[in-house]
Amino acid sequence: MTTETIVKAFKFRLRPNRSQRRMLAACLSDHCDLYNAALEERRTAWSASRVPVRYTQQSAQLKAIRHDDSGGQGRWSFSSQQATLRRLNRAFEAFFRRIRGGQEPGYPRFRSRHRFDSVTWPKDGDGCKWIDGDSASDGISRVRLQGVGTVRVHRHRSIEGIVKTITVKREGPKWFLVLACETDAPGEQPKTGRATGIDMGVTHFATTADGEHIANIAPLKTNEGRLARAQRDLARYPKNRKREDRSTRHWQAARKVAKLHRKIAAQRRDYAHKTANALIERFDVIAVEKLNITGMTKAPAPRPDPERPGVWLPNGANAKAGLNKRILDAAWGQFIDILTVKAAWAGREVIAVDPRNTSRTCTECGHCDPDNRDREDFHCTACGYNDHADRVGAVNIASRAGLVLDGDGRPSTSEAPQL
Ligand SMILES: [Zn+2]
């Protein structure tokens, strides 16, 4: 068996002193300037003569830019600057990909210094050095960054594998270090002989084909309430007010919103990991809904009533519609991504199927009717079958993935066709 390697990210708080803090900010803003200058060059060349500028051409100019030290660019690592140019290159590649795909292109934009929040050193030992506390005489972990100095790191857990890339991130007033480490993939897990489908819902985060509900995260609700209040608070201030004109209270309100967003994102990620682990432990094959990610940001269009001007017909916007739906879609998308990756490591399988009509089709007689479902209750209008609507969805998702149900209505891999 060949051992596969995977990349794991470890994120730690940085503890810079006052002067290091200043240098970290300067490092970000100089990399931001470099990014914008390189973007400017590409734009000008393109609009003047339709000549695309390539990464290699821009990278070749770095030496001269660093030598002419008037901008202070010579202070930083050559490699982190290259990484920044490559980041711009990726933005352009995505832009060209969107054009080819006939999507709205969205030309890469200039970045504000306030929004340019990370710099990556692509190779440990090249303009940066990770010093693990385990091998330090005082037990304190540090990172040496060219132009910044040796910064203390709060390494709250041990890292695994070999450090490949080092990234410094600013999140609000805090600084973080992200180490991308290469490590052996966890091996395959023993087979369980079981499979399931899962239905993603509003009341419950998900429901399995044997009718088990996976609850939504409770602490998230609290923070979402807090976020809604913080956003209302922030909305009292004019939106386009210049940064320098904002009052202290305005700043406080903005910071509070940003902080809650980060907190919620972290909780959601953590929950997705835990839920995915629990499912993978129990099932060999897991069928999920294929999420329509591109369509997901569009709310249903309002429909005017042709009979009565000024009156709008229901547009199919139900409990799942609107902003709530978008937030849930994003959470589910992230969950399915995490589940898929973890499943691959563990030798499990995730099958994504078209979820259309899965919660309105009878699992007993196959009758498909929107009236079969009334919120949580499924009641077949043809054969009278009763069940929880989410479980019906999960069973249909499982059978669409080719998983066969056993006597209890549980899909089982032993009876399933070869997948
Ligand atoms: Zn039926």
Side-chain angles (χ1 to χ4, degrees):
M1 201 179 92
T2 53
T3 37
E4 278 183 70
T5 59
I6 54 165
V7 176
K8 266 191 183 175
F10 296 87
K11 187 175 172 186
F12 303 125
R13 264 303 274 283
L14 273 174
R15 303 279 186 216
N17 61 31
R18 191 180 295 190
S19 75
Q20 288 171 339
R21 203 171 270 278
R22 207 167 45 235
M23 292 315 283
L24 284 170
C27 179
L28 280 192
S29 84
D30 280 1
H31 281 77
C32 178
D33 288 349
L34 179 68
Y35 184 94
N36 286 335
L39 173 56
E40 175 71 41
E41 188 194 16
R42 287 185 183 236
R43 279 176 95 120
T44 318
W46 184 254
S47 59
S49 50
R50 300 280 141 193
V51 181
V53 178
R54 297 187 191 290
Y55 163 74
T56 44
Q57 292 166 279
Q58 297 202 308
S59 176
Q61 298 172 58
L62 270 178
K63 211 171 159 189
I65 292 169
R66 293 168 56 81
H67 188 72
D68 165 32
D69 201 23
S70 55
Q73 292 283 354
R75 293 180 279 181
W76 317 115
S77 151
F78 192 85
S79 305
S80 63
Q81 291 171 327
Q82 281 184 317
T84 301
L85 293 178
R86 272 197 295 271
R87 195 201 288 190
L88 176 69
N89 197 50
R90 279 197 298 277
F92 270 90
E93 279 170 357
F95 166 69
F96 290 128
R97 214 168 27 243
R98 287 193 294 272
I99 291 182
R100 281 197 301 273
Q103 288 164 278
E104 236 170 274
Y107 198 85
R109 284 195 233 171
F110 289 106
R111 305 278 287 269
S112 144
R113 283 184 176 190
H114 306 292
R115 293 255 168 105
F116 195 90
D117 285 324
S118 75
V119 168
T120 295
W121 287 257
K123 191 164 164 260
D124 185 22
D126 187 356
C128 65
K129 182 88 194 109
W130 167 248
I131 306 153
D132 199 283
D134 289 349
S135 52
S137 54
D138 57 3
I140 295 169
S141 297
R142 294 178 173 85
V143 66
R144 197 156 55 229
L145 303 166
Q146 185 175 331
V148 177
T150 306
V151 186
R152 289 172 74 135
V153 179
H154 178 63
R155 198 209 62 182
H156 61 278
R157 60 170 175 148
S158 299
I159 63 164
E160 301 157 38
I162 302 153
V163 178
K164 290 291 173 183
T165 73
I166 293 183
T167 300
V168 163
K169 269 184 110 168
R170 177 175 55 196
E171 288 184 10
K174 296 176 187 166
W175 291 91
F176 292 91
L177 187 74
V178 181
L179 303 174
C181 301
E182 201 172 74
T183 175
D184 290 339
E188 293 195 2
Q189 288 185 23
K191 297 278 179 244
T192 63
R194 296 195 62 205
T196 197
I198 52 174
D199 179 85
M200 320 286 288
V202 176
T203 321
H204 310 286
F205 181 75
T207 302
T208 66
D210 24 20
E212 185 194 331
H213 297 302
I214 300 165
N216 273 312
I217 339 166
L220 202 59
K221 275 265 168 290
T222 322
N223 280 325
E224 277 170 347
R226 283 185 190 139
L227 177 63
R229 277 195 299 281
Q231 273 167 333
R232 274 198 299 278
D233 203 33
L234 179 62
R236 295 190 317 208
Y237 301 96
K239 228 178 174 177
N240 298 319
R241 189 179 274 173
K242 285 200 192 116
R243 296 180 75 88
E244 52 272 28
D245 296 340
R246 289 183 196 168
S247 65
T248 311
R249 280 179 184 279
H250 187 172
W251 274 116
Q252 280 170 345
R255 268 190 216 114
K256 195 163 188 186
V257 168
K259 193 174 170 184
L260 282 164
H261 268 300
R262 285 195 295 269
K263 206 168 187 174
I264 289 170
Q267 281 181 328
R268 193 169 273 144
R269 202 167 40 241
D270 190 49
Y271 189 73
H273 276 284
K274 284 192 183 126
T275 310
N277 283 341
L279 286 169
I280 281 166
E281 204 161 284
R282 287 161 50 204
F283 300 105
D284 296 339
V285 189
I286 302 159
V288 296
E289 304 172 31
K290 193 181 283 167
L291 294 175
N292 177 7
I293 300 295
T294 46
M296 113 194 166
T297 48
K298 291 203 178 75
R303 271 198 315 166
D305 187 341
E307 310 285 304
R308 293 170 295 167
V311 177
W312 301 85
L313 292 170
N315 57 2
N318 50 22
K320 275 192 176 188
L323 184 64
N324 191 29
K325 159 101 171 107
R326 275 178 240 176
I327 294 167
L328 284 170
D329 274 341
W332 293 336
Q334 180 187 45
F335 167 70
I336 288 175
D337 285 347
I338 289 172
L339 181 71
T340 308
V341 170
K342 281 182 187 285
W345 293 349
R348 307 295 209 221
E349 193 171 9
V350 173
I351 305 169
V353 300
D354 182 357
R356 230 172 311 163
N357 294 330
T358 43
S359 60
R360 43 174 76 159
T361 304
C362 178
T363 50
E364 291 298 301
C365 73
H367 177 63
C368 175
D369 184 351
D371 291 339
N372 280 352
R373 180 174 189 169
D374 180 18
R375 289 172 184 274
E376 301 227 308
D377 298 320
F378 185 94
H379 184 88
C380 179
T381 55
C383 76
Y385 177 70
N386 269 315
D387 205 337
H388 190 288
D390 289 344
R391 181 178 173 266
V392 169
V395 171
N396 280 322
I397 286 165
S399 57
R400 246 176 229 191
L403 306 174
V404 179
L405 305 181
D406 69 14
D408 304 331
R410 289 174 166 188
S412 95
T413 37
S414 49
E415 293 172 47
Q418 280 297 305
L419 294 164

